[in-house]
Amino acid sequence: MMKKMAIITSYFDGESYGLLGPQMAATVIQENTPYECIVIAVTHSDDKTVLKKALSGYFGREMPIVGFSSLSGREDLFLFAKALKAEGAVTILAGPQSDVDFSGETGWRDYPHRFRGLSECFSFALQGPAEQAIPVLEGIANGQWRNASGLLYTDDEGRIVKTPRQSWKNKFLRRVRWNNLYRVGRAGLENPTINSGQVLQHIGCPHAARAKLIEVDYPYHLDKKGDKKIRLKFRGCSFCDVSSDKGFYGALNSETVLSQIACLPEDSDGRKISFELINENALPGLPLLIRESSERGMSLTQINLTLRADWFLSNENYLREALHMARKLRMRIMLSSIGFESFDDRILRNLNKGLTVKTNIDAILLMRRLKNEFPLQWAYSNRDGANHGFIHPTPWDSPETDFNIQQVTASCRMHSDILPAHSVPLIIHHASGLADWIREIETSEKMLFERYVSVIGWWREALLGRY
Ligand code: B12
Ligand code: SF4
């Protein structure tokens, strides 16, 4: 009889996407250990009592081993994990940022207002590739789990011990069982239909490969003149969790990527469901990927791209080649997200975006030109479901930046096709580059900013006072 494991992950009501990270992890576990492993996607509105009942039904007499991944900072799920652990389940925090979220913010023992981590909610954390769970699961049975790689756990003296993590291997990134995702329904666990998936081509982001020294302004509410700066070294964009979590590992080989495409479910016409290609610089390899998929008899419907504006512009020729192929193959390419982030150069510099407002505008003009040339093959607009990154408010908003942004967005008529319905405020995760910036301000100005679980408040109301 198979042993059992479940992975709980955060989800949004009414959605129908797959979750590559947790679903790939469940696949690796199920195919390489004696454990059956499923993923349960939990929304804010799901009733935890019903979820608990579903878990008891699933585990039966087996010891519950419950992984948690991609929780999006949700406190209700941290508390749920804590309650399960108190009842004797093994709870594992895994996926992006699991190491820093388990161990807590830099210096929290000296500064009690800082985020103290989630070590009380989880039996241990597992950071990095999913295959590290193989010896852990063997070790749970014989008590030797602490020897595995990528682990964080609390020792008898209350110290957090960390074992070195393994590197990514193509071998374990080839397969995803997309039918292992469940939602909690009235009748227990239900298998939803997934309409879009993801395919991993780059681990991390090339922009995070290079460190750069940046002078970041103080928040406007603390320095209206804009004279005070903090000098810091950033790898990648200063707000980005990908750059701090994965850095840049590189590209997966094309066999691995094609094998992932082969795993995607098919629609009623026998075509692969649409997928997001995870690669910030996907254009140079896109024509080859489409050709090879087609040569292997895989019929694609839509590839969604998430690109940087500068790499989108500099690789226009590859995109045109891919669009001509798309025309022949009757498929679509959608630019589902460009991280514009801002239309003010000072804010872009503080975010270490590595590009200017001019690059963002040129990218928008190219997106629109391509729509005229390839109306059926190319999609980019918010009306098509694209969601381009626009971070607002930020700590550096001033009457001047507001004026600049309004000028640019109005003159380029961005509301019609580019701007999302709601901008996203700047979120500073405690392990991101900007977290170092706000901690520097706290120390030099003897100030305290409030923590909202794993996120640091930067706005005026989050200022708790001076010490
Ligand atoms: C594709 C993607 C999505 C997809 C699928 C997400 C998913 N969870 O698979 C969609 C579009 C649905 C999505 C939605 C969101 N995403 Co997203 N997404 C990404 C993206 C681009 C790639 C993630 C990925 O698939 N990587 C490849 C896989 C293979 O790596 P992985 O996830 O780390 O998983 C490996 C290991 O970590 C491990 N692992 C993962 N889970 C588990 C569990 C167990 C038990 C074990 C043992 C191992 C294990 O196994 C995997 C294989 O080795 C990343 C950015 C990036 N470039 O990495 C952001 C990212 C993961 N997303 C992020 C966010 C914030 C979101 C949203 C909250 C955005 C929003 N506000 O709507 C939602 C949340 C939905 C959710 N619960 O994930 C953040 C996560 C930050 C954080 N602290 O958790 C990231 C890092 C981007 C960022 N903002 O910096 N996202
Ligand atoms: S925000 Fe995008 S471009 Fe910037 S480091 Fe992160 S993944 Fe790379």
Side-chain angles (χ1 to χ4, degrees):
M1 214 175 86
M2 279 198 112
K3 297 172 181 231
K4 289 191 169 183
M5 176 168 173
I7 300 175
I8 287 181
T9 176
S10 161
Y11 207 65
F12 294 100
D13 276 317
E15 285 292 352
S16 59
Y17 54 75
L19 292 161
L20 178 69
Q23 292 195 252
M24 186 181 257
T27 306
V28 169
I29 290 167
Q30 179 141 333
E31 295 186 349
N32 296 279
T33 72
Y35 284 79
E36 174 188 346
C37 190
I38 60 166
V39 178
I40 306 175
V42 182
T43 69
H44 271 288
S45 58
D46 285 340
D47 184 335
K48 301 291 180 314
T49 322
V50 181
L51 171 61
K52 218 157 169 195
K53 222 168 136 193
L55 283 175
S56 333
Y58 171 69
F59 283 108
R61 288 156 167 261
E62 288 294 328
M63 178 178 41
I65 299 184
V66 189
F68 286 79
S69 169
S70 310
L71 299 181
S72 318
R74 272 177 58 184
E75 199 168 14
D76 62 324
L77 292 178
F78 302 149
L79 296 175
F80 187 71
K82 191 175 180 179
L84 288 183
K85 183 184 165 196
E87 288 167 21
V90 175
T91 55
I92 308 169
L93 182 64
Q97 267 100 10
S98 51
D99 52 349
V100 287
D101 283 352
F102 183 83
S103 56
E105 186 179 345
T106 304
W108 69 263
R109 285 174 206 270
D110 300 324
Y111 298 92
H113 72 295
R114 292 188 182 174
F115 169 57
R116 52 182 294 126
L118 300 168
S119 56
E120 285 170 10
C121 303
F122 297 94
S123 312
F124 53 86
L126 191 58
Q127 208 273 333
E131 57 273 23
Q132 298 176 126
I134 301 168
V136 174
L137 291 172
E138 278 164 16
I140 284 176
N142 62 23
Q144 300 293 312
W145 60 269
R146 290 181 181 206
N147 300 335
S149 354
L151 275 181
L152 287 98
Y153 60 88
T154 312
D155 71 8
D156 299 338
E157 268 91 55
R159 288 175 306 222
I160 289 174
V161 181
K162 197 171 168 178
T163 63
R165 42 160 288 186
Q166 288 174 15
S167 171
W168 303 91
K169 294 184 198 75
N170 280 276
K171 184 181 151 195
F172 290 103
L173 296 165
R174 287 200 179 121
R175 293 206 13 89
V176 189
R177 294 172 63 247
W178 285 102
N179 61 359
N180 61 14
L181 187 73
Y182 288 82
R183 296 270 299 114
V184 187
R186 286 220 186 102
L189 295 175
E190 294 167 1
N191 225 192
T193 304
I194 290 176
N195 292 323
S196 68
Q198 302 92 32
V199 167
L200 180 69
Q201 194 173 36
H202 261 180
I203 295 187
C205 171
H207 182 47
R210 226 167 8 106
K212 198 172 165 195
L213 197 64
I214 297 288
E215 289 195 331
V216 187
D217 297 316
Y218 264 46
Y220 182 69
H221 66 84
L222 294 179
D223 174 31
K224 294 214 164 27
K225 285 195 190 143
D227 295 338
K228 289 180 157 179
K229 318 254 178 217
I230 305 271
R231 276 162 72 85
L232 283 168
K233 234 183 208 171
F234 290 135
R235 281 185 184 277
C237 303
S238 57
F239 59 90
C240 175
D241 298 336
V242 178
S243 57
S244 53
D245 183 61
K246 293 205 170 71
F248 183 51
Y249 171 81
L252 305 186
N253 62 39
S254 81
E255 259 329 298
T256 304
V257 178
L258 289 165
S259 158
Q260 279 182 50
I261 297 178
C263 288
L264 286 166
E266 284 168 3
D267 63 17
S268 52
D269 297 329
R271 307 180 75 186
K272 296 291 179 192
I273 59 167
S274 71
F275 64 87
E276 179 187 331
L277 189 60
I278 303 167
N279 179 350
E280 292 282 326
N281 189 17
L283 296 183
L286 192 59
L288 188 65
L289 187 74
I290 296 175
R291 184 172 309 122
E292 288 186 332
S293 307
S294 161
E295 281 168 6
R296 292 185 187 204
M298 295 187 281
S299 169
L300 309 183
T301 43
Q302 177 166 313
I303 301 182
N304 297 331
L305 302 172
T306 60
L307 303 174
R308 280 177 59 90
D310 48 357
W311 296 335
F312 167 62
L313 282 173
S314 58
N315 293 295
E316 180 184 343
N317 54 334
Y318 292 108
L319 179 57
R320 282 178 182 281
E321 192 183 338
L323 284 166
H324 281 292
M325 294 166 81
R327 188 172 275 161
K328 281 195 194 127
L329 295 166
R330 302 169 71 83
M331 59 171 284
R332 277 210 320 176
I333 297 173
M334 170 151 107
L335 185 44
S336 57
S337 180
I338 277 199
F340 293 119
E341 323 307 5
S342 182
F343 297 97
D344 176 84
D345 278 326
R346 180 183 182 141
I347 295 178
L348 285 171
R349 177 175 50 75
N350 287 328
L351 297 175
N352 191 30
K353 193 70 208 174
L355 45 75
T356 61
V357 174
K358 177 165 185 328
T359 315
N360 281 345
I361 294 173
D362 287 347
I364 291 168
L365 298 178
L366 177 59
M367 285 151 83
R368 290 175 178 160
R369 271 202 309 277
L370 288 169
K371 186 68 189 170
N372 287 334
E373 289 175 52
F374 299 93
L376 300 179
Q377 295 75 34
W378 174 245
Y380 76 93
S381 110
N382 49 21
R383 292 184 301 270
D384 295 316
N387 190 359
H388 303 299
F390 177 42
I391 302 179
H392 185 84
T394 79
W396 310 286
D397 295 344
S398 67
E400 190 189 335
T401 62
D402 284 349
F403 177 78
N404 289 344
I405 292 171
Q406 257 170 29
Q407 277 262 311
V408 175
T409 53
S411 65
C412 293
R413 294 172 288 104
M414 282 188 214
H415 286 278
S416 64
D417 57 349
I418 301 294
L419 292 183
H422 306 284
S423 60
V424 178
L426 180 76
I427 295 169
I428 302 185
H429 182 266
H430 70 96
S432 67
L434 281 176
D436 289 334
W437 165 78
I438 204 151
R439 280 190 290 267
E440 281 272 341
I441 296 175
E442 283 191 320
T443 324
S444 43
E445 302 294 328
K446 300 199 181 309
M447 285 175 173
L448 303 175
F449 283 94
E450 188 158 354
R451 269 52 176 176
Y452 303 86
V453 195
S454 54
V455 167
I456 308 178
W458 49 262
W459 42 94
R460 187 197 294 273
E461 297 73 21
L463 192 54
L464 293 172
R466 295 177 188 257
Y467 61 91

